[in-house]
Amino acid sequence: MRLDDLNTRSRDIFRQVVETYLETGEPVGSRTLSRIVGLGLSPASIRNVMADLEDAGLLAAPHTSAGRIPTHFGLRLFVDGLLEIGDLSTEERRNLDAQCRAAGRRTEDMLSEATAALSGLSHCAGMVLVPKSNAPLQHIEFVSIGIGRGLVVLVAEDGTVENRVIDLPIGLPPSALTQATNYLSARIIGRTFEDARALIERELAERQTELDQLASGVVAAGLATWSGDDGNSGLIIRGLGNLLDDVAARDDLERIRRLFDDLETKKDLVKLLDLARAAEGVRIFIGAENNLFSLSGSSVIVSPYTDEQQKIIGVIGVIGPTRLNYARIIPMVDYTAKMIGRLL
């Protein structure tokens, strides 16, 4: 089904149904549409057209309601072909600029503030895929945090601090952690993680190290933990509470619960955002058309951002119900991504 397959009357009614639903969140009935100036159609005529749109998979009747709501396929058709995108107000631009510029020099701080600002203005959850720092390293440390568990702390010259939890052999003596820390410290300082990892892995493979077997296992576990990340990015999410503001029914609450479960795992969300890296401009994922994770009642609007070499290094956007103000949020996400590129 394409928009070109709809006649003028069907297209007008389809547009009105979607726009009214996005504004009110309620199923739209023929009587409501008949009162809209410009249609000039009786409720009976409108019902016939809405039935045809339902047969085409663009509209659906929830429960026993006489009204219709757009399907995810219908929303996609509307967003791609009928949506009239607005623009940000001067005040909205000023608010985004101010919050991000005041966030300090660290890239992660600025991205976190940009995400929080985007969440506040859109009334959705904001999220950003943060590139890992490629700055030279200056410190690493292994710390025991319990039986069979250890924490690896990595500090870069730009102030970035990353922590990872690793599994340790039961009964590992403290001396093995100290030996692993000393060994890595002698090899990482002044090098990026990738450069240091290549050197260390080569030494471990050739057994050209002063490490005993236990300490060697600790080093290998630390390297594997960092190398095993999904992509080379971290994920920041802000404003989850916004998703609860518009919960009107038990079905909505269940959808939000599933959404929270998906956001908690984050892994598939990172995969989704990685897909957006390959595109220029804003990407929109609506409901069930995205099969990476079970956000059957949610939409994701994201845009990649670039560094000073115009290389795409991350993605920022929002996630919320399919009943989003697309016309307002799409330019908001687009502007935020471009602003981040300028600040970087």
Side-chain angles (χ1 to χ4, degrees):
M1 168 62 68
R2 300 175 303 167
L3 282 175
D4 292 343
D5 297 328
L6 301 179
N7 59 36
T8 302
R9 173 184 291 186
S10 297
R11 187 179 303 189
D12 289 343
I13 291 176
F14 174 62
R15 179 202 293 271
Q16 290 294 343
V17 170
V18 177
E19 290 180 346
T20 303
Y21 169 74
L22 293 179
E23 180 180 352
T24 67
E26 300 293 332
V28 183
S30 57
R31 191 170 300 277
T32 298
L33 293 180
S34 68
R35 300 191 188 104
I36 295 177
V37 176
L39 286 181
L41 298 172
S42 67
S45 297
I46 294 174
R47 278 195 297 273
N48 290 334
V49 175
M50 292 174 71
D52 291 339
L53 293 171
E54 185 174 357
D55 290 341
L58 301 180
L59 301 181
H63 310 301
T64 57
S65 169
R68 301 292 189 276
I69 64 173
T71 62
H72 295 160
F73 173 63
L75 279 173
R76 166 57 64 189
L77 205 66
F78 172 81
V79 168
D80 289 347
L82 294 175
L83 181 66
E84 295 180 3
I85 296 177
D87 198 4
L88 298 186
S89 67
T90 302
E91 183 178 359
E92 287 171 332
R93 292 171 185 265
R94 188 182 298 120
N95 287 341
L96 284 167
D97 289 344
Q99 283 192 250
C100 296
R101 292 183 187 278
R105 293 185 176 182
R106 290 186 65 220
T107 298
E108 187 167 334
D109 292 339
M110 185 267 287
L111 292 173
S112 180
E113 287 296 324
T115 306
L118 188 57
S119 169
L121 288 173
S122 66
H123 304 295
C124 298
M127 55 193 181
V128 63
L129 203 57
V130 182
K132 276 189 178 178
S133 169
N134 199 37
L137 306 173
Q138 68 175 20
H139 179 75
I140 190 169
E141 186 172 357
F142 289 88
V143 181
S144 176
I145 57 173
I147 298 175
R149 304 285 277 174
L151 183 70
V152 192
V153 183
L154 194 66
V155 183
E157 290 182 356
D158 64 356
T160 302
V161 179
E162 293 191 54
N163 304 310
R164 295 290 188 279
V165 175
I166 62 172
D167 294 325
L168 298 175
I170 303 296
L172 183 78
S175 60
L177 292 181
T178 302
Q179 190 182 12
T181 296
N182 292 338
Y183 169 79
L184 288 177
S185 294
R187 288 157 177 79
I188 69 164
I189 294 177
R191 291 187 173 98
T192 66
F193 174 75
E194 291 302 320
D195 290 341
R197 184 180 67 174
L199 169 63
I200 295 163
E201 287 180 342
R202 185 169 63 251
E203 288 190 1
L204 290 176
E206 297 173 355
R207 302 185 183 278
Q208 297 176 351
T209 74
E210 64 271 21
L211 294 172
D212 61 29
Q213 187 173 357
L214 287 175
S216 178
V218 172
V219 169
L223 292 179
T225 299
W226 247 279
S227 304
D229 285 348
D230 292 296
N232 294 308
S233 308
L235 181 65
I236 297 174
I237 300 176
R238 295 288 182 268
L240 283 175
N242 290 335
L243 300 177
L244 296 171
D245 291 343
D246 198 28
V247 175
R250 179 174 296 181
D251 288 348
D252 290 334
L253 191 59
E254 176 62 20
R255 177 183 59 78
I256 294 299
R257 187 193 65 76
R258 291 198 305 269
L259 173 56
F260 276 27
D261 287 344
D262 286 320
L263 295 181
E264 185 69 25
T265 61
K266 293 184 179 179
K267 180 185 296 185
D268 287 334
L269 184 55
V270 170
K271 291 180 182 177
L272 176 67
L273 296 182
D274 273 334
L275 287 178
R277 288 179 185 268
E280 294 184 5
V282 178
R283 289 288 302 275
I284 304 165
F285 301 91
I286 298 176
E289 70 181 17
N290 162 41
N291 59 7
L292 282 177
F293 56 136
S294 60
L295 301 183
S296 58
S298 301
S299 285
V300 178
I301 302 175
V302 290
S303 182
Y305 59 88
T306 59
D307 61 10
E308 61 273 19
Q309 280 85 39
Q310 301 303 305
K311 176 185 175 183
I312 293 177
I313 58 173
V315 179
I316 191 167
V318 302
I319 187 168
T322 54
R323 190 179 67 82
L324 290 177
N325 187 339
Y326 294 92
R328 178 171 177 266
I329 294 177
I330 289 172
M332 192 178 294
V333 170
D334 184 51
Y335 178 80
T336 304
K338 290 177 179 177
M339 178 192 63
I340 288 172
R342 291 196 300 269
L343 293 177
L344 290 176

PDB file of all heavy atoms in Angstrom, residues 28 59 65 85 118 199 297 299 301 304:
ATOM      1  N   VAL A  28     -10.588   7.666  16.943  1.00  0.00           N
ATOM      2  CA  VAL A  28     -11.295   8.735  16.227  1.00  0.00           C
ATOM      3  C   VAL A  28     -12.493   8.140  15.495  1.00  0.00           C
ATOM      4  O   VAL A  28     -12.352   7.187  14.720  1.00  0.00           O
ATOM      5  CB  VAL A  28     -10.353   9.423  15.217  1.00  0.00           C
ATOM      6  CG1 VAL A  28     -11.079  10.584  14.533  1.00  0.00           C
ATOM      7  CG2 VAL A  28      -9.088   9.906  15.920  1.00  0.00           C
ATOM      8  N   LEU A  59      -5.621   1.537   9.331  1.00  0.00           N
ATOM      9  CA  LEU A  59      -6.337   1.861  10.566  1.00  0.00           C
ATOM     10  C   LEU A  59      -6.741   0.567  11.263  1.00  0.00           C
ATOM     11  O   LEU A  59      -6.803  -0.496  10.654  1.00  0.00           O
ATOM     12  CB  LEU A  59      -7.583   2.706  10.279  1.00  0.00           C
ATOM     13  CG  LEU A  59      -7.403   4.047   9.586  1.00  0.00           C
ATOM     14  CD1 LEU A  59      -8.755   4.739   9.410  1.00  0.00           C
ATOM     15  CD2 LEU A  59      -6.442   4.950  10.350  1.00  0.00           C
ATOM     16  N   SER A  65     -14.408  -0.281  20.476  1.00  0.00           N
ATOM     17  CA  SER A  65     -14.651   1.128  20.166  1.00  0.00           C
ATOM     18  C   SER A  65     -15.104   1.300  18.724  1.00  0.00           C
ATOM     19  O   SER A  65     -14.680   0.577  17.823  1.00  0.00           O
ATOM     20  CB  SER A  65     -13.364   1.932  20.395  1.00  0.00           C
ATOM     21  OG  SER A  65     -13.501   3.239  19.866  1.00  0.00           O
ATOM     22  N   ILE A  85       6.533  18.720   8.821  1.00  0.00           N
ATOM     23  CA  ILE A  85       7.480  18.909   9.923  1.00  0.00           C
ATOM     24  C   ILE A  85       7.576  20.389  10.273  1.00  0.00           C
ATOM     25  O   ILE A  85       7.700  21.249   9.405  1.00  0.00           O
ATOM     26  CB  ILE A  85       8.856  18.352   9.533  1.00  0.00           C
ATOM     27  CG1 ILE A  85       8.758  16.846   9.325  1.00  0.00           C
ATOM     28  CG2 ILE A  85       9.893  18.669  10.613  1.00  0.00           C
ATOM     29  CD1 ILE A  85      10.037  16.202   8.862  1.00  0.00           C
ATOM     30  N   LEU A 118      16.973  17.252  25.713  1.00  0.00           N
ATOM     31  CA  LEU A 118      16.097  16.699  24.670  1.00  0.00           C
ATOM     32  C   LEU A 118      14.928  15.965  25.300  1.00  0.00           C
ATOM     33  O   LEU A 118      13.781  16.072  24.844  1.00  0.00           O
ATOM     34  CB  LEU A 118      16.914  15.756  23.787  1.00  0.00           C
ATOM     35  CG  LEU A 118      16.247  15.207  22.521  1.00  0.00           C
ATOM     36  CD1 LEU A 118      15.768  16.333  21.632  1.00  0.00           C
ATOM     37  CD2 LEU A 118      17.235  14.319  21.777  1.00  0.00           C
ATOM     38  N   LEU A 199      49.622  -4.916  22.172  1.00  0.00           N
ATOM     39  CA  LEU A 199      50.916  -5.266  22.761  1.00  0.00           C
ATOM     40  C   LEU A 199      50.764  -6.371  23.793  1.00  0.00           C
ATOM     41  O   LEU A 199      51.514  -7.365  23.798  1.00  0.00           O
ATOM     42  CB  LEU A 199      51.536  -4.023  23.407  1.00  0.00           C
ATOM     43  CG  LEU A 199      52.770  -4.258  24.285  1.00  0.00           C
ATOM     44  CD1 LEU A 199      53.916  -4.818  23.453  1.00  0.00           C
ATOM     45  CD2 LEU A 199      53.184  -2.960  24.992  1.00  0.00           C
ATOM     46  N   GLY A 297       4.840  -1.023  21.298  1.00  0.00           N
ATOM     47  CA  GLY A 297       4.030   0.184  21.355  1.00  0.00           C
ATOM     48  C   GLY A 297       4.863   1.438  21.469  1.00  0.00           C
ATOM     49  O   GLY A 297       4.421   2.416  22.054  1.00  0.00           O
ATOM     50  N   SER A 299       8.001   4.234  19.755  1.00  0.00           N
ATOM     51  CA  SER A 299       8.719   4.751  18.596  1.00  0.00           C
ATOM     52  C   SER A 299      10.074   5.303  19.035  1.00  0.00           C
ATOM     53  O   SER A 299      10.217   5.802  20.153  1.00  0.00           O
ATOM     54  CB  SER A 299       7.922   5.868  17.913  1.00  0.00           C
ATOM     55  OG  SER A 299       6.843   5.345  17.176  1.00  0.00           O
ATOM     56  N   ILE A 301      13.136   7.897  17.666  1.00  0.00           N
ATOM     57  CA  ILE A 301      13.547   8.920  16.706  1.00  0.00           C
ATOM     58  C   ILE A 301      14.985   9.295  17.040  1.00  0.00           C
ATOM     59  O   ILE A 301      15.268   9.780  18.136  1.00  0.00           O
ATOM     60  CB  ILE A 301      12.647  10.172  16.777  1.00  0.00           C
ATOM     61  CG1 ILE A 301      11.187   9.793  16.508  1.00  0.00           C
ATOM     62  CG2 ILE A 301      13.112  11.233  15.776  1.00  0.00           C
ATOM     63  CD1 ILE A 301      10.224  10.959  16.669  1.00  0.00           C
ATOM     64  N   PRO A 304      22.327  10.591  13.888  1.00  0.00           N
ATOM     65  CA  PRO A 304      23.754  10.488  14.210  1.00  0.00           C
ATOM     66  C   PRO A 304      24.382  11.861  14.377  1.00  0.00           C
ATOM     67  O   PRO A 304      23.891  12.857  13.848  1.00  0.00           O
ATOM     68  CB  PRO A 304      24.329   9.768  12.977  1.00  0.00           C
ATOM     69  CG  PRO A 304      23.396  10.116  11.872  1.00  0.00           C
ATOM     70  CD  PRO A 304      22.037  10.246  12.488  1.00  0.00           C
TER      71      PRO A 304
END
